[in-house]
Amino acid sequence: MTALHRPVLWLALAILGLPLAAGAAPPTSVDGVPIDPEAELVVALTDDTTNLDPRIGMGSIRSNYIRQIFESLVDVDRQGRPVPGLALSWKPVNDLTWEFVLRRGVTFHDGEPFNADTVLFNLDRMFRKNLDKWGIKDVAAGTAFDKVYPFVTRWEKVDDYTVRVHTSEPSATLWDFLGREPLVPRAWTIKHGVEALNDKPVGTGPWKLVAWKRKDHMAFERNDGYWGGPTLAKRLRLQVIPEAAARIAALRAGQVHLVEAVPPLDAEVLGKTSTIRVASSVQKLACRIYLNGRTKDAYESGGKDGAFADPRVRMALNLAVNREAIIAKIFHGLALANASPVATVAYGYAAQPPYPYDPARAKALLAEAGVSAAQPLTLQLLLPAKHYGQAFDETVGAVVEMLKAVGVQVTVQTLDFGTLLQTLTKGTLPPNGGFAACRTSNNLDADDFVRDWATTTLVNWTPYPPELLALYQSTRRQVDAKKRLAALAELQQRVRDWAPVVSLYQEKKAYAHSARVLQFVPTQELNMDFRGVALRR
Amino acid sequence: MRAFLLRRLVHAVFVVWGVVTVVFFLVRLTGDPAALLVDATATREEVERARQALGLDRPLLVQYAEFLRAAPLGDFGVSLRERRPAMGMVLEHFWPATAQLALAALVLAVVLPIPLGVIAATHRNGALDHASRLGSLFLQSMPSFWLGLMLILLFAVALGGLLPAFGSGTLSHLILPALTLAAAPLAQNVRLIRAGMLEVLQEDYVRTARAKGLAERGVVYRHALRNAAGPFLTVSGLSLGFMLSGTIVIETVFSWPGMGRLIVQAVPGRDFPVIQAAVFLFAILFVAVNLVVDVLQGLLDPRARVFGDGA
């Protein structure tokens, strides 16, 4: 069994383990503890979603809502591993074709059957094909599949429960980037229009949307016909409480059962409270300082070399950062240092030696690269304050002082996130510019992370040199899983040494819940999963 | 009176037009929303396509002409973030959530200061006056954000869930946010009434009224308060602006699903249609309330009449 086919093994194990008893009565106890299957689970989230159509985007806020209603071909287990969702299995049938075998007997909340036609319709939407044929509008999509994955050429129905997707070049990660996209109903969407997906849509998921009071709450009811067995609470309420202190107060008052995004210091305090439990999980959110390392012949360089084109300079900046101190003092342990460009919880991650905190070596490297008192290194750092949270802002402040300590002249320009994106879109980052930002992923595979320096994306200010680009491209085309993992590991090691960004930290997200809540396990994905969560009677 | 009202209505149209026009161009100066609608890992082509899909690639004056044609009909376009009619979203959040909260706070801030300010003035330098002044100072100097959290901790946590910590829909949900929102203007109004009353109570006509043997209650409330209320009334009208903008913070603390949070997210998200619709509504409300205040002032004090005698 190759590593690529490990997901298939997990699928099989999951199928055996899953209670495939749609319509069965929910249990009344968990591990001998009586639970209330008629209860309402109230969860406090930081924000409301602005829409529910998966095509518009699957960011961290949207995902929490969308994935309760809609499901994708590939699901994720509590350890973050791919398991069967709406597809029972997936495999390459040759170098240029993937085959998905679909789950039978699944219906959307309105009774519409899920089958190969559903998948073809969704692929048409993703790749903007046949929209006129279906009579539906296009939407301004978060991910333009036709641009990002132009090698996906066509898709076909083999039978009602088998779909094949063809590519013009081998694609090792097709199961991931197509398989993780939530699927909407075909007939319902054609009948009601794509706009209706933003109002009260139907999916195949464990929860049926009952009511949505915008900026306030979304109410769900158990989908009794769910293929994965009944959920352990009858109702779910996702309550928006933007302010962290108010979320925690609501938890303490017993008015919500579970809260997300607990600030690190509060997590420490709450952990000592007998009636409250704290849980955390490593997330894919990687926070970094991106540097202008575009050479003058690169796109949008303005004819000037970026001040950070020399890898020694970027490595020096990495060595100047004391990550251990940041994680201990600012995050109280709720973050981790990761020198790999890939999140530690992504498929294909290969651990890399951490960047040591070595200011002396940093200064030496800068001197080697020609930085001196006469020719100092300056960095105009753009900081989207209050966008990623207080800990991020504090971290950047600390890092600025650390960089100054090795002689880098840093000026910080605080701006709103929209202005930062506009600067990056226009390509007007100054030659000595950089920006602090975090990126996450909706995919399981490492490819989404290592793609950052391969195309003209907003975050790519240090494009791969030709040899790394070639290595990256080989990881995308290598269908043999073992060889691909080896290539990915080599790429990560070389990217770590090439240091395109100043790696800051990878987030651990903290949750707090009442002791009544049983079996809550935070996922490593962008969404929370309430399928196995129960409330003690 | 009718001529005055007509004149003010014409003024109001120009004020509202001016405000929304300034906002139309100002929000566009803040930048392009297209990049906010795609992933950070999106390509330049994806951003450009999003811009075209939203019609933001058209010349600015064409967009403004389109805006001027549609806005008077209440059509401010579709929210860039939620893909729903912007004015519908604004109204949905304004009524009942923001209207309830602002009105409840306005009532508290206008009604309570009258007895409190009068008592403080009539008991000058007494214990009640000191308590009133100290309380006002305390409420005015306390950030509403912090006050809200303290009230939540007291009433929702320490007192065993006496009042809900978040949400809307019932009277019990309204109490804490309305109190928090009203705190600062209430304290300010107490001080205004007290100061006005202290001044008026020294006037000759008050002494005359007392000399004629009128009951003290009638002297204070019928004669003195009526003349002391002018600045209080003006400030109360302006308070509505504070109430509407103040809801932004209060709604965040209490998870109140009103316009404040809608605007807070629309501004950094550069959701132009929503910002424009919200400003339009705010401008109309503000102009209308101040018109009412002008009329009320004239009714209370003929010297302040701006609509002429016998109108």
Side-chain angles (χ1 to χ4, degrees):
Chain A
M1 176 72 55
T2 64
L4 179 67
H5 298 127
R6 240 180 257 153
V8 181
L9 172 64
W10 289 331
L11 300 189
L13 292 173
I15 292 167
L16 293 173
L18 282 172
L20 291 173
T28 53
S29 68
V30 166
D31 295 335
V33 179
I35 63 165
D36 181 1
E38 298 302 306
E40 179 182 51
L41 177 66
V42 184
V43 181
L45 304 181
T46 56
D47 203 352
D48 193 13
T49 179
T50 50
N51 42 60
L52 284 170
D53 182 354
R55 288 300 302 121
I56 292 175
M58 288 298 293
S60 55
I61 291 167
R62 289 191 186 100
S63 290
N64 251 336
Y65 294 88
I66 290 173
R67 288 204 187 275
Q68 311 306 330
I69 303 165
F70 298 111
E71 293 181 294
S72 42
L73 294 171
V74 179
D75 200 353
V76 180
D77 72 7
R78 292 181 165 204
Q79 284 71 46
R81 295 171 304 200
V83 292
L86 293 176
L88 288 172
S89 67
W90 48 89
K91 63 180 181 188
V93 290
N94 59 50
D95 277 359
L96 301 177
T97 309
W98 278 81
E99 183 175 277
F100 292 86
V101 176
L102 309 182
R103 188 179 292 278
R104 291 167 187 258
V106 177
T107 58
F108 286 90
H109 300 151
D110 66 339
E112 178 181 335
F114 166 78
N115 52 35
D117 290 329
T118 315
V119 178
L120 298 189
F121 172 75
N122 278 274
L123 286 167
D124 280 351
R125 277 199 84 206
M126 289 155 71
F127 287 88
R128 305 151 61 90
K129 296 260 177 78
N130 300 321
L131 299 184
D132 291 340
K133 174 184 150 191
W134 300 117
I136 56 170
K137 287 183 191 166
D138 192 12
V139 296
T143 304
F145 279 79
D146 50 336
K147 294 290 179 192
V148 181
Y149 309 107
F151 50 84
V152 177
T153 52
R154 67 188 175 91
W155 35 96
E156 63 174 328
K157 171 173 147 180
V158 176
D159 60 44
D160 278 351
Y161 293 98
T162 309
V163 169
R164 282 188 178 171
V165 180
H166 300 272
T167 56
S168 58
E169 59 185 57
S171 170
T173 60
L174 185 139
W175 66 272
D176 181 32
F177 64 76
L178 292 188
R180 287 295 291 151
E181 189 73 2
L183 303 181
V184 302
R186 186 182 71 123
W188 188 95
T189 307
I190 293 169
K191 181 180 174 189
H192 295 92
V194 291
E195 296 88 352
L197 290 168
N198 287 325
D199 192 16
K200 201 176 170 189
V202 296
T204 59
W207 299 100
K208 290 199 266 191
L209 176 61
V210 175
W212 181 12
K213 187 174 178 187
R214 302 208 184 218
K215 310 282 178 216
D216 187 58
H217 75 275
M218 204 179 274
F220 303 88
E221 257 183 22
R222 171 193 294 145
N223 173 12
D224 288 320
Y226 185 55
W227 58 267
T231 54
L232 301 182
K234 183 171 176 61
R235 282 168 290 135
L236 169 67
R237 181 186 174 101
L238 300 183
Q239 177 69 48
V240 180
I241 306 184
E243 171 52 37
R247 280 198 301 280
I248 292 166
L251 177 67
R252 284 184 184 278
Q255 291 167 4
V256 302
H257 300 114
L258 170 61
V259 301
E260 70 158 355
V262 178
L265 195 57
D266 290 304
E268 211 169 274
V269 175
L270 286 172
K272 294 169 186 160
T273 309
S274 62
T275 54
I276 290 175
R277 308 278 180 272
V278 174
S280 67
S281 67
V282 177
Q283 300 289 294
K284 291 179 187 165
L285 192 78
C287 296
R288 304 159 166 169
I289 291 178
Y290 292 83
L291 301 162
N292 189 343
R294 290 183 181 177
T295 50
K296 63 184 171 193
D297 53 341
Y299 43 78
E300 297 295 349
S301 63
K304 290 181 179 174
D305 278 334
F308 305 95
D310 187 334
R312 290 172 299 183
V313 173
R314 301 192 302 263
M315 178 58 82
L317 268 53
N318 270 292
L319 300 181
V321 177
N322 186 347
R323 294 172 186 78
E324 278 184 21
I326 288 170
I327 290 167
K329 299 289 181 191
I330 297 177
F331 289 93
H332 299 266
L334 282 169
L336 55 91
N338 176 14
S340 166
V342 174
T344 57
V345 290
Y347 177 74
Y349 162 74
Q352 299 303 318
Y355 294 114
Y357 174 51
D358 190 346
R361 176 78 186 128
K363 284 180 186 171
L365 272 176
L366 287 175
E368 235 177 75
V371 176
S372 64
Q375 276 193 313
L377 179 66
T378 60
L379 167 61
Q380 282 187 50
L381 183 64
L382 308 185
L383 168 64
K386 296 186 177 176
H387 183 74
Y388 294 109
Q390 191 180 340
F392 174 82
D393 294 354
E394 287 176 14
T395 298
V396 173
V399 169
V400 165
E401 294 308 314
M402 291 170 188
L403 296 181
K404 284 179 180 173
V406 297
V408 183
Q409 296 178 3
V410 189
T411 52
V412 179
Q413 185 187 343
T414 303
L415 72 182
D416 74 285
F417 189 64
T419 306
L420 172 64
L421 285 184
Q422 193 175 357
T423 305
L424 304 181
T425 309
K426 283 185 175 173
T428 51
L429 191 67
N432 67 340
F435 59 96
C438 302
R439 62 101 74 226
T440 186
S441 175
N442 198 37
N443 296 119
L444 303 178
D445 193 274
D447 180 70
D448 195 40
F449 286 93
V450 289
R451 188 168 66 94
D452 280 1
W453 302 285
T455 51
T456 55
T457 62
L458 304 185
V459 294
N460 185 4
W461 285 85
T462 312
Y464 280 136
E467 65 278 11
L468 283 183
L469 185 61
L471 181 55
Y472 162 70
Q473 284 166 344
S474 77
T475 67
R476 283 198 119 182
R477 292 173 185 153
Q478 181 53 265
V479 183
D480 182 293
K482 199 171 174 182
K483 288 180 184 167
R484 180 170 178 269
L485 283 177
L488 268 175
E490 185 191 344
L491 179 63
Q492 287 170 69
Q493 177 255 312
R494 291 179 64 180
V495 170
R496 183 259 179 214
D497 295 344
W498 174 64
V501 293
V502 180
S503 165
L504 300 179
Y505 63 89
Q506 190 180 326
E507 187 192 53
K508 285 184 188 172
K509 195 168 181 179
Y511 303 82
H513 62 82
S514 120
R516 265 192 81 197
V517 175
L518 302 172
Q519 300 195 139
F520 171 69
V521 179
T523 70
Q524 295 161 348
E525 296 304 301
L526 302 181
N527 61 295
M528 297 162 84
D529 187 346
F530 305 108
R531 280 179 289 190
V533 180
L535 280 172
R536 192 191 297 263
R537 186 176 286 281
Chain B
M1 177 83 164
R2 186 179 295 170
F4 163 75
L5 284 176
L6 271 175
R7 205 165 54 242
R8 289 297 297 263
L9 279 176
V10 173
H11 285 176
V13 169
F14 278 101
V15 168
V16 172
W17 170 75
V19 168
V20 294
T21 296
V22 167
V23 168
F24 178 91
F25 289 104
L26 270 184
V27 292
R28 280 159 179 79
L29 281 180
T30 65
D32 178 8
L36 288 164
L37 300 172
V38 296
D39 288 348
T41 54
T43 60
R44 302 266 306 277
E45 290 75 20
E46 288 172 68
V47 176
E48 188 50 39
R49 193 154 61 190
R51 185 178 296 115
Q52 285 169 11
L54 299 169
L56 297 170
D57 56 330
R58 296 174 302 163
L60 194 56
L61 285 179
V62 172
Q63 292 181 46
Y64 180 61
E66 171 68 17
F67 169 73
L68 279 188
R69 188 192 61 75
L73 305 172
D75 179 3
F76 285 78
V78 174
S79 159
L80 306 185
R81 286 158 56 86
E82 298 199 18
R83 321 290 158 102
R84 299 192 298 139
M87 185 47 96
M89 283 171 59
V90 167
L91 290 175
E92 176 186 305
H93 285 85
F94 173 73
W95 187 266
T98 294
Q100 262 181 9
L101 181 55
L103 279 177
L106 195 63
V107 168
L108 286 175
V110 170
V111 175
L112 282 183
I114 295 174
L116 293 175
V118 169
I119 290 169
T122 52
H123 295 77
R124 189 179 187 184
N125 292 329
L128 285 173
D129 185 26
H130 286 311
S132 153
R133 285 157 62 191
L134 199 66
S136 297
L137 193 66
F138 184 64
L139 287 179
Q140 272 193 298
S141 53
M142 206 166 0
S144 55
F145 179 82
W146 184 81
L147 176 65
L149 286 176
M150 290 304 108
L151 288 176
I152 289 175
L153 287 177
L154 177 63
F155 287 98
V157 181
L159 296 178
L162 190 64
L163 291 170
F166 65 87
S168 62
T170 67
L171 185 63
S172 63
H173 285 102
L174 185 60
I175 294 172
L176 294 185
L179 272 176
T180 311
L181 184 57
L186 186 152
Q188 175 186 269
N189 287 344
V190 169
R191 289 164 70 103
L192 268 178
I193 295 265
R194 177 184 175 276
M197 287 295 290
L198 285 176
E199 192 181 324
V200 168
L201 286 172
Q202 309 299 319
E203 296 286 338
D204 290 345
Y205 68 86
V206 172
R207 197 179 306 121
T208 306
R210 281 180 176 143
K212 283 168 68 179
L214 284 181
E216 184 62 16
R217 193 182 182 81
V219 171
V220 169
Y221 283 96
R222 185 172 299 168
H223 295 282
L225 180 60
R226 191 167 171 165
N227 287 299
F232 159 69
L233 209 55
T234 306
V235 169
S236 295
L238 295 173
S239 298
L240 185 82
F242 171 83
M243 296 292 177
L244 291 173
S245 57
T247 57
I248 291 172
V249 173
I250 306 302
E251 286 175 8
T252 302
V253 174
F254 289 97
S255 313
W256 190 267
M259 268 176 81
R261 273 169 54 212
L262 185 73
I263 296 170
V264 157
Q265 292 178 329
V267 171
R270 293 182 182 157
D271 199 338
F272 300 158
V274 172
I275 297 170
Q276 287 159 191
V279 169
F280 178 75
L281 184 63
F282 272 6
I284 285 181
L285 285 172
F286 201 73
V287 167
V289 168
N290 280 285
L291 179 60
V292 171
V293 167
D294 281 352
V295 173
L296 279 179
Q297 270 195 327
L299 292 176
L300 277 177
D301 182 355
R303 292 172 303 173
R305 231 167 248 181
V306 283
F307 43 82
D309 288 333

